[in-house]
Amino acid sequence: MAQQKNGQEPDINQLRKVRREKLADLQANGKDPFQVMSYDVSCHTADIKEHYDAMEGKQVSIAGRIMQKRVMGKASFCNVLDQSGNIQSYVARDSIGEESYKDFKKMDIGDIVGIEGEVFKTKTGEISVHATAVKLLSKSLQILPEKFHGLTNTDIRYRQRYVDLIMNPEARDTFIKRSHIISAIRRYLDGQGFLEVETPMLVSNAGGAAARPFETHFNALGEDFKLRISLELYLKRLIVGGLERVYEIGRVFRNEGLDTRHNPEFTLMELYQAYTDYNGMMDLTENLYRHVAKEVLGTTTIVYNGVEMDLGKPFERITMVDAVKKYAGVDWNEVETLDQARALAKEHHVEFEDRHKKGDILSLFFEEFAEEHLIQPTFVMDHPIEMSPLTKKKPENPDYVERFEFFMNGWEMANAYSELNDPIDQRERFKAQEELLAQGDEEANTTDEDFLNALEIGMPPTGGIGFGIDRMCMLLTNAAAIRDVLLFPTMKSLDK
């Protein structure tokens, strides 16, 4: 941004006008930067800095955005930013020619350039490129935020992520790291014999989770469809089909609110493994988290918001009943009736609805009293059957199911089951969900006849799990909000 004069802010519109005039002049002289088709980049700026000893005196060609520029008569300096970082370039009239130097002096902050030159160090020891040629590759017609303060307005950062990535190195690093996290997940699972697959996003029956779906109309078929809320039911069909280990990383959509940990479209990974159960899923989760942290961060100890979490130690395992006993002082094993559960809820100021059963109220107690304490990696096991319509019952206690939720930092990070493969039991569970739907529960599942048919074909004993990729990225990048790890988070229209 241009410097202030006499304490006045510069006229942004005038600055934009000047840039357009410069573009028109370039075009009139046959130098239209938008006609440049390609540029041969030999290396990135980080490569030069990291391998300076080997590259000193070598000719390189780099490309990036001008972020700083100091014109000093016959010689100037500019700072060029590419994906890997930035580097200084020394641009002298005698090295690039008088006409090229004249063109360089007219270039603006934000312009994209290609620079050829020799790698060297300045007298102050700064690694630089001594330019022998400078080429304008694209003209910036907008004004970047003031370079020393970056882009600090969070609303603008989310709406104009492209500017955020230019101005804030930490944002760029976060998203590069996010990409590395997802790549590390894939490498681990591929190494364990899992197949990556893709399943439909537009579905007639949005099941597999307790969530309210988005709905749309498919004109070609004249039918209403929903955006998927989960990956589960289609992936289980593949287990039935004989693909014994499958996973998918993809967007799912839930018509719910926005906060620091929720976005209506988010990245979910679900995987299913035949011939194992939720104990196998716990082992896989521990190993996966350790692998990703080690590969991406170089350590199994992570720090989030000043709190250290150790992925190297065995993860704690506790039942939901024991967690409520530990943190709320209530022993649910002694709660025999719904009336007793409601009385305890009123006594402990836990709000519930008339439709909630005994198991639902146990879950409400857990959310109210236990979740916030689960900072270190913890598996909370054996949920009430009311909360888990797709999960196998515990043989010794059919009021509960073989399910766990994985917690870190007080957040749910993953949800796993010993998958229900009894089609008769599954139909009864769907029936109970339909009754909840009729009572006004918009997050209840509906009966999926084709899925029931698949179960009747026969599904082997199976363990399955869903991971919240965005929350995982938040923890591993120390990001304060989910929007900080989503390149383009959902935002309310400025027109509203």
Side-chain angles (χ1 to χ4, degrees):
M1 183 176 288
Q3 297 293 317
Q4 297 180 13
K5 295 181 180 179
N6 302 320
Q8 300 296 315
E9 289 288 344
D11 186 337
I12 297 297
N13 290 329
Q14 181 60 31
L15 293 176
R16 292 182 185 136
K17 181 182 177 184
V18 169
R19 292 196 177 202
R20 290 180 181 271
E21 289 172 351
K22 289 182 180 181
L23 174 62
D25 185 60
L26 287 166
Q27 292 170 330
N29 287 282
K31 299 177 180 179
D32 187 351
F34 299 129
Q35 294 300 314
V36 177
M37 300 303 178
S38 63
Y39 185 80
D40 184 17
V41 177
S42 68
C43 59
H44 284 89
T45 60
D47 299 327
I48 297 172
K49 291 183 174 181
E50 186 176 349
H51 305 292
Y52 174 75
D53 289 343
M55 300 191 72
E56 183 181 13
K58 298 283 182 66
Q59 286 288 319
V60 297
S61 60
I62 62 172
R65 191 180 301 274
I66 296 176
M67 298 302 292
Q68 296 178 34
K69 186 163 167 267
R70 303 191 307 279
V71 176
M72 302 177 295
K74 298 178 182 179
S76 302
F77 288 92
C78 68
N79 190 280
V80 175
L81 174 72
D82 66 13
Q83 177 179 297
S84 68
N86 62 75
I87 197 167
Q88 177 178 267
S89 179
Y90 173 68
V91 184
R93 185 189 66 181
D94 293 344
S95 298
I96 68 170
E98 188 168 347
E99 184 176 350
S100 292
Y101 189 65
K102 195 178 297 182
D103 289 342
F104 170 77
K105 290 199 294 183
K106 294 179 182 178
M107 292 179 189
D108 292 304
I109 302 299
D111 286 353
I112 297 173
V113 297
I115 295 178
E116 296 178 34
E118 183 179 301
V119 177
F120 80 112
K121 276 186 181 178
T122 65
K123 291 179 181 179
T124 59
E126 183 168 353
I127 297 172
S128 307
V129 176
H130 187 155
T132 55
V134 179
K135 184 174 185 178
L136 181 62
L137 305 179
S138 184
K139 182 69 184 169
S140 175
L141 301 179
Q142 266 289 6
I143 313 299
L144 290 175
E146 204 275 327
K147 65 189 178 201
F148 295 108
H149 298 102
L151 181 61
T152 56
N153 183 299
T154 53
D155 187 71
I156 295 177
R157 286 183 63 191
Y158 299 145
R159 292 183 188 278
Q160 298 182 20
R161 182 66 81 188
Y162 42 90
V163 181
D164 183 32
L165 294 171
I166 293 168
M167 300 306 300
N168 294 319
E170 68 278 4
R172 187 166 58 253
D173 292 345
T174 291
F175 290 107
I176 291 173
K177 193 171 288 183
R178 178 189 172 108
S179 179
H180 292 165
I181 289 167
I182 294 173
S183 296
I185 291 171
R186 285 192 166 104
R187 277 191 292 274
Y188 178 80
L189 292 177
D190 292 347
Q192 296 295 312
F194 283 84
L195 298 174
E196 183 173 9
V197 297
E198 295 174 310
T199 60
M201 290 190 182
L202 279 176
V203 296
S204 57
N205 188 331
R212 181 181 176 186
F214 288 93
E215 299 182 4
T216 188
H217 185 75
F218 191 175
N219 293 331
L221 296 181
E223 293 182 15
D224 290 334
F225 277 73
K226 299 177 178 66
L227 290 173
R228 66 185 181 187
I229 60 173
S230 169
L231 313 174
E232 180 166 351
L233 300 185
Y234 280 97
L235 291 176
K236 285 183 180 177
R237 286 170 167 90
L238 299 180
I239 295 290
V240 170
L243 301 182
E244 295 178 1
R245 298 187 182 202
V246 294
Y247 75 96
E248 180 174 6
I249 300 174
R251 285 292 177 116
V252 297
F253 309 86
R254 298 182 181 179
N255 199 346
E256 56 189 18
L258 294 160
D259 60 31
T260 57
R261 284 183 283 156
H262 293 89
N263 194 72
E265 60 172 312
F266 61 97
T267 302
L268 181 66
M269 180 181 75
E270 291 195 33
L271 63 86
Y272 293 85
Q273 178 179 340
Y275 311 114
T276 190
D277 60 8
Y278 77 150
N279 293 297
M281 292 297 101
M282 282 186 253
D283 294 339
L284 184 147
T285 302
E286 284 199 40
N287 293 331
L288 174 64
Y289 260 77
R290 288 187 189 123
H291 170 85
V292 172
K294 188 70 175 176
E295 183 170 318
V296 177
L297 303 179
T299 178
T300 56
T301 300
I302 66 171
V303 178
Y304 183 82
N305 199 24
V307 177
E308 189 174 285
M309 286 166 269
D310 190 353
L311 294 167
K313 296 179 180 178
F315 295 2
E316 182 182 357
R317 303 186 182 195
I318 187 172
T319 67
M320 182 176 283
V321 168
D322 286 343
V324 168
K325 184 176 181 179
K326 179 177 180 179
Y327 295 109
V330 175
D331 187 351
W332 215 257
N333 290 319
E334 297 177 356
V335 180
E336 297 180 354
T337 66
L338 176 58
D339 286 341
Q340 287 177 314
R342 286 174 171 172
L344 281 168
K346 291 175 182 177
E347 179 184 338
H348 289 80
H349 308 290
V350 174
E351 295 184 5
F352 62 91
E353 299 176 20
D354 289 342
R355 62 183 174 85
H356 284 146
K357 297 181 172 61
K358 188 177 81 169
D360 297 307
I361 296 174
L362 168 62
S363 180
L364 293 173
F365 264 83
F366 171 75
E367 292 173 6
E368 181 71 25
F369 296 104
E371 276 192 10
E372 63 180 332
H373 299 286
L374 306 178
I375 305 301
Q376 296 302 317
T378 304
F379 295 117
V380 177
M381 307 180 297
D382 302 349
H383 291 49
I385 192 170
E386 293 91 339
M387 308 293 296
S388 311
L390 299 165
T391 315
K392 274 190 174 180
K393 298 174 185 175
K394 291 187 70 65
E396 70 278 12
N397 190 349
D399 288 339
Y400 295 89
V401 295
E402 291 195 344
R403 171 185 175 185
F404 73 78
E405 290 174 308
F406 172 50
F407 282 84
M408 286 180 66
N409 194 51
W411 302 348
E412 180 197 339
M413 305 297 294
N415 184 25
Y417 311 152
S418 295
E419 302 296 337
L420 179 60
N421 61 345
D422 178 345
I424 298 171
D425 189 357
Q426 184 64 81
R427 183 174 291 280
E428 290 302 311
R429 306 271 195 102
F430 276 144
K431 183 177 178 182
Q433 288 286 302
E434 294 275 10
E435 291 172 359
L436 290 174
L437 190 66
Q439 295 171 23
D441 184 355
E442 294 179 321
E443 296 185 349
N445 283 212
T446 55
T447 302
D448 187 327
E449 290 292 347
D450 183 72
F451 176 65
L452 288 170
N453 184 65
L455 290 186
E456 290 184 358
I457 295 292
M459 186 173 85
T462 298
I465 188 168
F467 291 89
I469 297 297
D470 304 314
R471 291 185 187 177
M472 185 181 193
C473 291
M474 286 176 67
L475 281 184
L476 295 181
T477 63
N478 199 23
I482 193 171
R483 291 182 175 186
D484 294 324
V485 296
L486 298 176
L487 279 167
F488 300 102
T490 304
M491 304 288 289
K492 186 175 182 179
S493 172
L494 291 173
D495 297 330
K496 300 297 183 182

